[in-house]
Amino acid sequence: MNLENMDQLIDGLAERLKVLKESRDRFKDELEGAKTQLKDKEMEHIRQDKESQRRIEQLEREKMNLQKEKAQMESRLTAVYGKLKNLLPQEGPDNRG
C-alpha cells in the first residue's frame, strides 16, 4: 500500500465521518423537535385535565344548589298543601247530609 492509496482511504473515511456527523446532527435536531412537541402535548393534556376538573366542580356546585332549591320547593309545596287541606272541610260519615 502506497502513500497515495492511504491518502485516498483517509479522505474516504473523513468524508464518511462527515456524513455520519451530519446525520447525527439531523437526528439530534429531530429528537429535540419531537421532545418539544411531546412537552407541548403534555402541557395541553394537563390544561385540558384541569379545565375538565374545574367544569366537574362547577357542575357539582350547580347540582348541590339545584338540590337545595328542590328541597325548598318541596317544603313550600308541603306547607301549601297543608294549608289547603286545613281550609277544605273534612269529608266523613257525619258530614254527608
Side-chain angles (χ1 to χ4, degrees), residues 12-56:
L13 289 173
E15 184 61 33
R16 182 70 179 140
L17 186 59
K18 179 183 172 188
V19 169
L20 289 173
K21 284 181 179 180
E22 289 171 353
S23 292
R24 180 202 62 196
D25 291 343
R26 228 179 12 262
F27 290 137
K28 200 173 180 181
D29 291 343
E30 287 178 26
L31 178 62
E32 288 304 314
K35 283 180 180 180
T36 300
Q37 286 179 344
L38 180 61
K39 193 172 189 175
D40 290 345
K41 287 183 185 260
E42 286 175 350
M43 294 302 290
E44 178 64 18
H45 183 71
I46 290 169
R47 187 196 63 76
Q48 288 175 347
D49 281 349
K50 286 182 178 183
E51 182 62 32
S52 294
Q53 188 61 38
R54 279 193 291 271
R55 182 67 180 141
I56 288 169

Side-chain angles (χ1 to χ4, degrees), residues 1-95:
M1 186 171 247
N2 62 22
L3 226 41
E4 188 177 312
N5 287 346
M6 290 204 46
D7 281 344
Q8 287 176 350
L9 183 61
I10 290 171
D11 288 344
L13 289 173
E15 184 61 33
R16 182 70 179 140
L17 186 59
K18 179 183 172 188
V19 169
L20 289 173
K21 284 181 179 180
E22 289 171 353
S23 292
R24 180 202 62 196
D25 291 343
R26 228 179 12 262
F27 290 137
K28 200 173 180 181
D29 291 343
E30 287 178 26
L31 178 62
E32 288 304 314
K35 283 180 180 180
T36 300
Q37 286 179 344
L38 180 61
K39 193 172 189 175
D40 290 345
K41 287 183 185 260
E42 286 175 350
M43 294 302 290
E44 178 64 18
H45 183 71
I46 290 169
R47 187 196 63 76
Q48 288 175 347
D49 281 349
K50 286 182 178 183
E51 182 62 32
S52 294
Q53 188 61 38
R54 279 193 291 271
R55 182 67 180 141
I56 288 169
E57 290 170 0
Q58 179 184 7
L59 290 171
E60 286 175 349
R61 284 191 299 273
E62 289 176 15
K63 177 184 172 185
M64 289 187 334
N65 287 336
L66 289 172
Q67 288 173 335
K68 183 179 175 182
E69 285 180 33
K70 178 184 173 191
Q72 290 172 347
M73 295 293 267
E74 287 175 346
S75 176
R76 289 180 191 158
L77 187 58
T78 301
V80 168
Y81 177 76
K83 289 177 183 177
L84 286 175
K85 187 176 177 184
N86 288 335
L87 291 176
L88 296 176
Q90 295 291 327
E91 286 190 27
D94 297 338
N95 292 347

